[in-house]
PDB file of all heavy atoms in Angstrom:
ATOM      1  N   ILE A 183       4.642  -0.331 -15.307  1.00 98.00           N
ATOM      2  CA  ILE A 183       5.252   0.542 -14.297  1.00 98.00           C
ATOM      3  C   ILE A 183       5.111  -0.167 -12.967  1.00 98.00           C
ATOM      4  O   ILE A 183       4.045  -0.690 -12.646  1.00 98.00           O
ATOM      5  CB  ILE A 183       4.523   1.906 -14.176  1.00 98.00           C
ATOM      6  CG1 ILE A 183       4.644   2.749 -15.455  1.00 98.00           C
ATOM      7  CG2 ILE A 183       5.005   2.716 -12.969  1.00 98.00           C
ATOM      8  CD1 ILE A 183       5.987   3.378 -15.687  1.00 98.00           C
ATOM      9  N   ILE A 184       6.190  -0.221 -12.213  1.00 99.00           N
ATOM     10  CA  ILE A 184       6.135  -0.804 -10.855  1.00 99.00           C
ATOM     11  C   ILE A 184       6.440   0.311  -9.843  1.00 99.00           C
ATOM     12  O   ILE A 184       7.487   0.981  -9.958  1.00 99.00           O
ATOM     13  CB  ILE A 184       7.155  -1.942 -10.705  1.00 99.00           C
ATOM     14  CG1 ILE A 184       6.731  -3.142 -11.582  1.00 99.00           C
ATOM     15  CG2 ILE A 184       7.286  -2.382  -9.231  1.00 99.00           C
ATOM     16  CD1 ILE A 184       7.773  -4.234 -11.741  1.00 99.00           C
ATOM     17  N   ASN A 185       5.535   0.539  -8.925  1.00 98.00           N
ATOM     18  CA  ASN A 185       5.757   1.485  -7.846  1.00 98.00           C
ATOM     19  C   ASN A 185       6.038   0.716  -6.555  1.00 98.00           C
ATOM     20  O   ASN A 185       5.138   0.041  -6.035  1.00 98.00           O
ATOM     21  CB  ASN A 185       4.538   2.409  -7.634  1.00 98.00           C
ATOM     22  CG  ASN A 185       4.338   3.331  -8.822  1.00 98.00           C
ATOM     23  OD1 ASN A 185       5.289   3.918  -9.305  1.00 98.00           O
ATOM     24  ND2 ASN A 185       3.099   3.453  -9.280  1.00 98.00           N
ATOM     25  N   ARG A 186       7.264   0.808  -6.072  1.00 98.00           N
ATOM     26  CA  ARG A 186       7.661   0.128  -4.846  1.00 98.00           C
ATOM     27  C   ARG A 186       7.383   1.109  -3.691  1.00 98.00           C
ATOM     28  O   ARG A 186       8.181   1.994  -3.421  1.00 98.00           O
ATOM     29  CB  ARG A 186       9.151  -0.151  -4.909  1.00 98.00           C
ATOM     30  CG  ARG A 186       9.581  -1.474  -4.444  1.00 98.00           C
ATOM     31  CD  ARG A 186      11.073  -1.623  -4.698  1.00 98.00           C
ATOM     32  NE  ARG A 186      11.364  -2.660  -5.659  1.00 98.00           N
ATOM     33  CZ  ARG A 186      12.583  -2.923  -6.088  1.00 98.00           C
ATOM     34  NH1 ARG A 186      13.619  -2.241  -5.613  1.00 98.00           N
ATOM     35  NH2 ARG A 186      12.773  -3.903  -6.945  1.00 98.00           N
ATOM     36  N   CYS A 187       6.209   0.926  -3.042  1.00 98.00           N
ATOM     37  CA  CYS A 187       5.749   1.948  -2.095  1.00 98.00           C
ATOM     38  C   CYS A 187       6.152   1.661  -0.644  1.00 98.00           C
ATOM     39  O   CYS A 187       6.101   0.503  -0.203  1.00 98.00           O
ATOM     40  CB  CYS A 187       4.214   2.010  -2.131  1.00 98.00           C
ATOM     41  SG  CYS A 187       3.584   2.409  -3.773  1.00 98.00           S
ATOM     42  N   GLY A 188       6.463   2.730   0.072  1.00 98.00           N
ATOM     43  CA  GLY A 188       6.568   2.649   1.523  1.00 98.00           C
ATOM     44  C   GLY A 188       5.153   2.606   2.119  1.00 98.00           C
ATOM     45  O   GLY A 188       4.213   2.292   1.392  1.00 98.00           O
ATOM     46  N   VAL A 189       5.004   2.950   3.366  1.00 98.00           N
ATOM     47  CA  VAL A 189       3.670   2.889   3.976  1.00 98.00           C
ATOM     48  C   VAL A 189       2.753   3.909   3.289  1.00 98.00           C
ATOM     49  O   VAL A 189       3.150   5.053   3.036  1.00 98.00           O
ATOM     50  CB  VAL A 189       3.737   3.201   5.494  1.00 98.00           C
ATOM     51  CG1 VAL A 189       2.366   3.368   6.081  1.00 98.00           C
ATOM     52  CG2 VAL A 189       4.515   2.080   6.208  1.00 98.00           C
ATOM     53  N   LEU A 190       1.531   3.458   2.980  1.00 98.00           N
ATOM     54  CA  LEU A 190       0.506   4.331   2.375  1.00 98.00           C
ATOM     55  C   LEU A 190      -0.607   4.472   3.403  1.00 98.00           C
ATOM     56  O   LEU A 190      -0.959   3.506   4.097  1.00 98.00           O
ATOM     57  CB  LEU A 190      -0.042   3.663   1.113  1.00 98.00           C
ATOM     58  CG  LEU A 190       0.983   3.276   0.058  1.00 98.00           C
ATOM     59  CD1 LEU A 190       0.353   2.365  -0.981  1.00 98.00           C
ATOM     60  CD2 LEU A 190       1.527   4.514  -0.634  1.00 98.00           C
ATOM     61  N   SER A 191      -1.194   5.668   3.473  1.00 98.00           N
ATOM     62  CA  SER A 191      -2.281   5.797   4.458  1.00 98.00           C
ATOM     63  C   SER A 191      -3.238   6.945   4.067  1.00 98.00           C
ATOM     64  O   SER A 191      -2.943   7.730   3.165  1.00 98.00           O
ATOM     65  CB  SER A 191      -1.709   6.023   5.857  1.00 98.00           C
ATOM     66  OG  SER A 191      -2.664   5.681   6.802  1.00 98.00           O
ATOM     67  N   GLY A 192      -4.382   6.969   4.767  1.00 98.00           N
ATOM     68  CA  GLY A 192      -5.372   8.016   4.526  1.00 98.00           C
ATOM     69  C   GLY A 192      -6.772   7.418   4.684  1.00 98.00           C
ATOM     70  O   GLY A 192      -6.938   6.301   5.152  1.00 98.00           O
ATOM     71  N   PRO A 193      -7.788   8.191   4.307  1.00 98.00           N
ATOM     72  CA  PRO A 193      -9.189   7.725   4.404  1.00 98.00           C
ATOM     73  C   PRO A 193      -9.434   6.400   3.659  1.00 98.00           C
ATOM     74  O   PRO A 193      -8.785   6.135   2.654  1.00 98.00           O
ATOM     75  CB  PRO A 193      -9.965   8.859   3.782  1.00 98.00           C
ATOM     76  CG  PRO A 193      -9.101  10.038   3.910  1.00 98.00           C
ATOM     77  CD  PRO A 193      -7.701   9.574   3.823  1.00 98.00           C
ATOM     78  N   LEU A 194     -10.387   5.640   4.142  1.00 98.00           N
ATOM     79  CA  LEU A 194     -10.825   4.347   3.608  1.00 98.00           C
ATOM     80  C   LEU A 194      -9.843   3.204   3.913  1.00 98.00           C
ATOM     81  O   LEU A 194      -9.918   2.139   3.342  1.00 98.00           O
ATOM     82  CB  LEU A 194     -11.098   4.400   2.109  1.00 98.00           C
ATOM     83  CG  LEU A 194     -12.085   5.448   1.618  1.00 98.00           C
ATOM     84  CD1 LEU A 194     -12.296   5.356   0.100  1.00 98.00           C
ATOM     85  CD2 LEU A 194     -13.436   5.312   2.311  1.00 98.00           C
ATOM     86  N   GLN A 195      -8.903   3.481   4.834  1.00 98.00           N
ATOM     87  CA  GLN A 195      -7.987   2.415   5.259  1.00 98.00           C
ATOM     88  C   GLN A 195      -8.462   1.850   6.611  1.00 98.00           C
ATOM     89  O   GLN A 195      -8.664   2.575   7.563  1.00 98.00           O
ATOM     90  CB  GLN A 195      -6.571   2.945   5.411  1.00 98.00           C
ATOM     91  CG  GLN A 195      -5.557   1.846   5.789  1.00 98.00           C
ATOM     92  CD  GLN A 195      -4.123   2.354   5.778  1.00 98.00           C
ATOM     93  OE1 GLN A 195      -3.834   3.405   6.351  1.00 98.00           O
ATOM     94  NE2 GLN A 195      -3.222   1.627   5.164  1.00 98.00           N
ATOM     95  N   PHE A 196      -8.637   0.520   6.628  1.00 97.00           N
ATOM     96  CA  PHE A 196      -9.065  -0.167   7.828  1.00 97.00           C
ATOM     97  C   PHE A 196      -7.869  -0.829   8.476  1.00 97.00           C
ATOM     98  O   PHE A 196      -7.556  -1.983   8.210  1.00 97.00           O
ATOM     99  CB  PHE A 196     -10.167  -1.189   7.496  1.00 97.00           C
ATOM    100  CG  PHE A 196     -11.427  -0.500   7.006  1.00 97.00           C
ATOM    101  CD1 PHE A 196     -11.591  -0.185   5.673  1.00 97.00           C
ATOM    102  CD2 PHE A 196     -12.417  -0.122   7.911  1.00 97.00           C
ATOM    103  CE1 PHE A 196     -12.720   0.466   5.225  1.00 97.00           C
ATOM    104  CE2 PHE A 196     -13.562   0.533   7.478  1.00 97.00           C
ATOM    105  CZ  PHE A 196     -13.715   0.835   6.125  1.00 97.00           C
ATOM    106  N   GLY A 197      -7.141  -0.033   9.279  1.00 95.00           N
ATOM    107  CA  GLY A 197      -5.871  -0.483   9.817  1.00 95.00           C
ATOM    108  C   GLY A 197      -5.954  -1.583  10.851  1.00 95.00           C
ATOM    109  O   GLY A 197      -6.931  -1.705  11.586  1.00 95.00           O
ATOM    110  N   LYS A 198      -4.922  -2.445  10.823  1.00 89.00           N
ATOM    111  CA  LYS A 198      -4.777  -3.478  11.822  1.00 89.00           C
ATOM    112  C   LYS A 198      -3.385  -3.299  12.446  1.00 89.00           C
ATOM    113  O   LYS A 198      -2.571  -2.540  11.918  1.00 89.00           O
ATOM    114  CB  LYS A 198      -4.830  -4.855  11.154  1.00 89.00           C
ATOM    115  CG  LYS A 198      -6.052  -5.130  10.309  1.00 89.00           C
ATOM    116  CD  LYS A 198      -6.074  -6.543   9.768  1.00 89.00           C
ATOM    117  CE  LYS A 198      -5.127  -6.723   8.592  1.00 89.00           C
ATOM    118  NZ  LYS A 198      -5.070  -8.085   8.075  1.00 89.00           N
ATOM    119  N   GLN A 199      -3.112  -4.028  13.532  1.00 83.00           N
ATOM    120  CA  GLN A 199      -1.833  -3.853  14.181  1.00 83.00           C
ATOM    121  C   GLN A 199      -0.659  -4.122  13.225  1.00 83.00           C
ATOM    122  O   GLN A 199       0.365  -3.459  13.290  1.00 83.00           O
ATOM    123  CB  GLN A 199      -1.733  -4.805  15.392  1.00 83.00           C
ATOM    124  CG  GLN A 199      -0.617  -4.465  16.372  1.00 83.00           C
ATOM    125  CD  GLN A 199      -0.971  -3.390  17.373  1.00 83.00           C
ATOM    126  OE1 GLN A 199      -2.032  -3.399  17.957  1.00 83.00           O
ATOM    127  NE2 GLN A 199      -0.051  -2.459  17.590  1.00 83.00           N
ATOM    128  N   ASP A 200      -0.827  -5.072  12.317  1.00 82.00           N
ATOM    129  CA  ASP A 200       0.285  -5.406  11.419  1.00 82.00           C
ATOM    130  C   ASP A 200       0.136  -4.819  10.001  1.00 82.00           C
ATOM    131  O   ASP A 200       0.882  -5.147   9.122  1.00 82.00           O
ATOM    132  CB  ASP A 200       0.481  -6.927  11.347  1.00 82.00           C
ATOM    133  CG  ASP A 200      -0.752  -7.630  10.776  1.00 82.00           C
ATOM    134  OD1 ASP A 200      -1.768  -6.960  10.561  1.00 82.00           O
ATOM    135  OD2 ASP A 200      -0.651  -8.835  10.505  1.00 82.00           O
ATOM    136  N   GLN A 201      -0.886  -4.004   9.779  1.00 93.00           N
ATOM    137  CA  GLN A 201      -1.016  -3.398   8.435  1.00 93.00           C
ATOM    138  C   GLN A 201      -1.959  -2.216   8.519  1.00 93.00           C
ATOM    139  O   GLN A 201      -3.091  -2.351   8.947  1.00 93.00           O
ATOM    140  CB  GLN A 201      -1.577  -4.451   7.450  1.00 93.00           C
ATOM    141  CG  GLN A 201      -1.121  -4.208   5.995  1.00 93.00           C
ATOM    142  CD  GLN A 201      -1.998  -3.248   5.237  1.00 93.00           C
ATOM    143  OE1 GLN A 201      -3.168  -3.128   5.504  1.00 93.00           O
ATOM    144  NE2 GLN A 201      -1.411  -2.535   4.278  1.00 93.00           N
ATOM    145  N   GLY A 202      -1.439  -1.061   8.143  1.00 96.00           N
ATOM    146  CA  GLY A 202      -2.242   0.160   8.183  1.00 96.00           C
ATOM    147  C   GLY A 202      -2.229   0.785   9.586  1.00 96.00           C
ATOM    148  O   GLY A 202      -3.272   1.174  10.126  1.00 96.00           O
ATOM    149  N   PHE A 203      -1.035   0.873  10.187  1.00 97.00           N
ATOM    150  CA  PHE A 203      -0.941   1.303  11.579  1.00 97.00           C
ATOM    151  C   PHE A 203      -1.421   2.737  11.806  1.00 97.00           C
ATOM    152  O   PHE A 203      -1.925   3.055  12.878  1.00 97.00           O
ATOM    153  CB  PHE A 203       0.479   1.103  12.145  1.00 97.00           C
ATOM    154  CG  PHE A 203       1.494   2.077  11.611  1.00 97.00           C
ATOM    155  CD1 PHE A 203       1.810   3.244  12.280  1.00 97.00           C
ATOM    156  CD2 PHE A 203       2.160   1.803  10.421  1.00 97.00           C
ATOM    157  CE1 PHE A 203       2.776   4.156  11.804  1.00 97.00           C
ATOM    158  CE2 PHE A 203       3.114   2.693   9.930  1.00 97.00           C
ATOM    159  CZ  PHE A 203       3.407   3.864  10.603  1.00 97.00           C
ATOM    160  N   VAL A 204      -1.317   3.611  10.814  1.00 98.00           N
ATOM    161  CA  VAL A 204      -1.724   4.990  11.039  1.00 98.00           C
ATOM    162  C   VAL A 204      -3.213   5.116  11.298  1.00 98.00           C
ATOM    163  O   VAL A 204      -3.659   5.725  12.262  1.00 98.00           O
ATOM    164  CB  VAL A 204      -1.279   5.947   9.878  1.00 98.00           C
ATOM    165  CG1 VAL A 204      -1.726   7.379  10.144  1.00 98.00           C
ATOM    166  CG2 VAL A 204       0.224   5.902   9.706  1.00 98.00           C
ATOM    167  N   SER A 205      -3.996   4.466  10.440  1.00 97.00           N
ATOM    168  CA  SER A 205      -5.451   4.568  10.635  1.00 97.00           C
ATOM    169  C   SER A 205      -5.897   3.850  11.910  1.00 97.00           C
ATOM    170  O   SER A 205      -6.816   4.266  12.599  1.00 97.00           O
ATOM    171  CB  SER A 205      -6.233   4.070   9.411  1.00 97.00           C
ATOM    172  OG  SER A 205      -6.177   2.675   9.295  1.00 97.00           O
ATOM    173  N   LEU A 206      -5.184   2.762  12.246  1.00 97.00           N
ATOM    174  CA  LEU A 206      -5.463   2.061  13.503  1.00 97.00           C
ATOM    175  C   LEU A 206      -5.217   3.000  14.697  1.00 97.00           C
ATOM    176  O   LEU A 206      -6.043   3.097  15.609  1.00 97.00           O
ATOM    177  CB  LEU A 206      -4.611   0.807  13.636  1.00 97.00           C
ATOM    178  CG  LEU A 206      -4.794   0.049  14.953  1.00 97.00           C
ATOM    179  CD1 LEU A 206      -6.111  -0.743  14.943  1.00 97.00           C
ATOM    180  CD2 LEU A 206      -3.625  -0.873  15.239  1.00 97.00           C
ATOM    181  N   TRP A 207      -4.086   3.718  14.622  1.00 98.00           N
ATOM    182  CA  TRP A 207      -3.740   4.660  15.720  1.00 98.00           C
ATOM    183  C   TRP A 207      -4.826   5.735  15.864  1.00 98.00           C
ATOM    184  O   TRP A 207      -5.237   6.065  16.989  1.00 98.00           O
ATOM    185  CB  TRP A 207      -2.382   5.316  15.375  1.00 98.00           C
ATOM    186  CG  TRP A 207      -1.330   5.123  16.441  1.00 98.00           C
ATOM    187  CD1 TRP A 207      -0.816   6.110  17.221  1.00 98.00           C
ATOM    188  CD2 TRP A 207      -0.678   3.924  16.817  1.00 98.00           C
ATOM    189  NE1 TRP A 207       0.118   5.575  18.068  1.00 98.00           N
ATOM    190  CE2 TRP A 207       0.229   4.217  17.840  1.00 98.00           C
ATOM    191  CE3 TRP A 207      -0.761   2.586  16.420  1.00 98.00           C
ATOM    192  CZ2 TRP A 207       1.039   3.279  18.475  1.00 98.00           C
ATOM    193  CZ3 TRP A 207       0.037   1.644  17.025  1.00 98.00           C
ATOM    194  CH2 TRP A 207       0.922   1.992  18.026  1.00 98.00           C
ATOM    195  N   VAL A 208      -5.280   6.269  14.756  1.00 98.00           N
ATOM    196  CA  VAL A 208      -6.307   7.319  14.812  1.00 98.00           C
ATOM    197  C   VAL A 208      -7.619   6.746  15.401  1.00 98.00           C
ATOM    198  O   VAL A 208      -8.231   7.327  16.294  1.00 98.00           O
ATOM    199  CB  VAL A 208      -6.582   7.922  13.393  1.00 98.00           C
ATOM    200  CG1 VAL A 208      -7.643   9.003  13.467  1.00 98.00           C
ATOM    201  CG2 VAL A 208      -5.309   8.494  12.780  1.00 98.00           C
ATOM    202  N   TRP A 209      -8.016   5.579  14.887  1.00 97.00           N
ATOM    203  CA  TRP A 209      -9.232   4.928  15.372  1.00 97.00           C
ATOM    204  C   TRP A 209      -9.189   4.672  16.853  1.00 97.00           C
ATOM    205  O   TRP A 209     -10.143   4.967  17.592  1.00 97.00           O
ATOM    206  CB  TRP A 209      -9.428   3.595  14.586  1.00 97.00           C
ATOM    207  CG  TRP A 209     -10.593   2.805  15.058  1.00 97.00           C
ATOM    208  CD1 TRP A 209     -10.578   1.746  15.918  1.00 97.00           C
ATOM    209  CD2 TRP A 209     -11.975   2.989  14.715  1.00 97.00           C
ATOM    210  NE1 TRP A 209     -11.833   1.262  16.146  1.00 97.00           N
ATOM    211  CE2 TRP A 209     -12.728   2.012  15.412  1.00 97.00           C
ATOM    212  CE3 TRP A 209     -12.647   3.896  13.895  1.00 97.00           C
ATOM    213  CZ2 TRP A 209     -14.111   1.915  15.316  1.00 97.00           C
ATOM    214  CZ3 TRP A 209     -14.025   3.801  13.796  1.00 97.00           C
ATOM    215  CH2 TRP A 209     -14.740   2.824  14.491  1.00 97.00           C
TER     216      TRP A 209
END
Side-chain angles (χ1 to χ4, degrees):
I183 294 286
I184 293 169
N185 292 316
R186 222 176 245 177
C187 302
V189 171
L190 305 167
S191 202
L194 305 182
Q195 183 173 48
F196 295 86
K198 305 184 283 178
Q199 195 84 44
D200 62 352
Q201 210 273 330
F203 72 95
V204 179
S205 73
L206 178 76
W207 237 248
V208 180
W209 175 262

